Coordinates of all heavy atoms in Angstrom, one line a residue:
Chain A
G13 N -23.3 -53.9 78.0 CA -23.2 -55.2 78.6 C -24.3 -56.2 78.2 O -25.5 -55.8 78.4
A14 N -24.0 -57.3 77.6 CA -25.0 -58.2 77.1 C -25.0 -59.6 77.9 O -25.3 -60.6 77.3 CB -24.9 -58.5 75.6
G15 N -24.7 -59.5 79.2 CA -24.8 -60.6 80.0 C -26.3 -60.7 80.5 O -27.1 -60.0 80.0
V16 N -26.5 -61.6 81.5 CA -27.9 -61.7 82.0 C -28.5 -60.5 82.5 O -29.6 -60.1 82.3 CB -28.0 -62.9 83.0 CG1 -27.3 -62.6 84.3 CG2 -29.5 -63.2 83.2
I17 N -27.7 -59.6 83.2 CA -28.2 -58.4 83.7 C -28.5 -57.4 82.6 O -29.6 -56.8 82.5 CB -27.2 -57.8 84.7 CG1 -27.0 -58.8 85.9 CG2 -27.7 -56.4 85.2 CD1 -28.2 -59.1 86.7
G18 N -27.6 -57.2 81.7 CA -27.7 -56.3 80.6 C -28.9 -56.7 79.7 O -29.7 -55.9 79.3
L19 N -29.0 -58.0 79.4 CA -30.1 -58.5 78.5 C -31.4 -58.3 79.2 O -32.4 -57.8 78.6 CB -29.9 -59.9 78.2 CG -28.8 -60.3 77.2 CD1 -28.5 -61.8 77.2 CD2 -29.2 -59.8 75.8
T20 N -31.5 -58.6 80.5 CA -32.8 -58.6 81.2 C -33.2 -57.1 81.4 O -34.3 -56.7 81.2 CB -32.7 -59.3 82.6 OG1 -32.1 -60.5 82.4 CG2 -34.0 -59.4 83.2
T21 N -32.2 -56.2 81.7 CA -32.5 -54.8 81.9 C -32.9 -54.2 80.5 O -33.9 -53.4 80.5 CB -31.3 -54.1 82.4 OG1 -30.8 -54.7 83.6 CG2 -31.6 -52.7 82.7
A22 N -32.3 -54.5 79.5 CA -32.6 -54.0 78.2 C -34.0 -54.4 77.8 O -34.8 -53.6 77.3 CB -31.6 -54.4 77.1
L23 N -34.3 -55.7 78.0 CA -35.6 -56.2 77.6 C -36.7 -55.5 78.5 O -37.7 -55.2 77.9 CB -35.6 -57.7 77.9 CG -36.8 -58.5 77.6 CD1 -37.4 -58.2 76.2 CD2 -36.6 -60.0 77.7
K24 N -36.4 -55.4 79.8 CA -37.4 -54.7 80.6 C -37.7 -53.3 80.2 O -38.8 -52.9 80.1 CB -36.8 -54.7 82.1 CG -37.7 -54.2 83.1 CD -38.7 -55.3 83.6 CE -39.8 -54.7 84.3 NZ -40.7 -55.7 84.8
I25 N -36.6 -52.5 79.9 CA -36.8 -51.2 79.5 C -37.6 -51.1 78.1 O -38.5 -50.3 77.9 CB -35.5 -50.4 79.4 CG1 -34.8 -50.4 80.7 CG2 -35.7 -49.0 78.8 CD1 -33.4 -49.8 80.7

Side-chain angles (χ1 to χ4, degrees):
Chain A
V16 66
I17 300 298
L19 287 165
T20 311
T21 305
L23 180 51
K24 186 84 198 181
I25 298 172

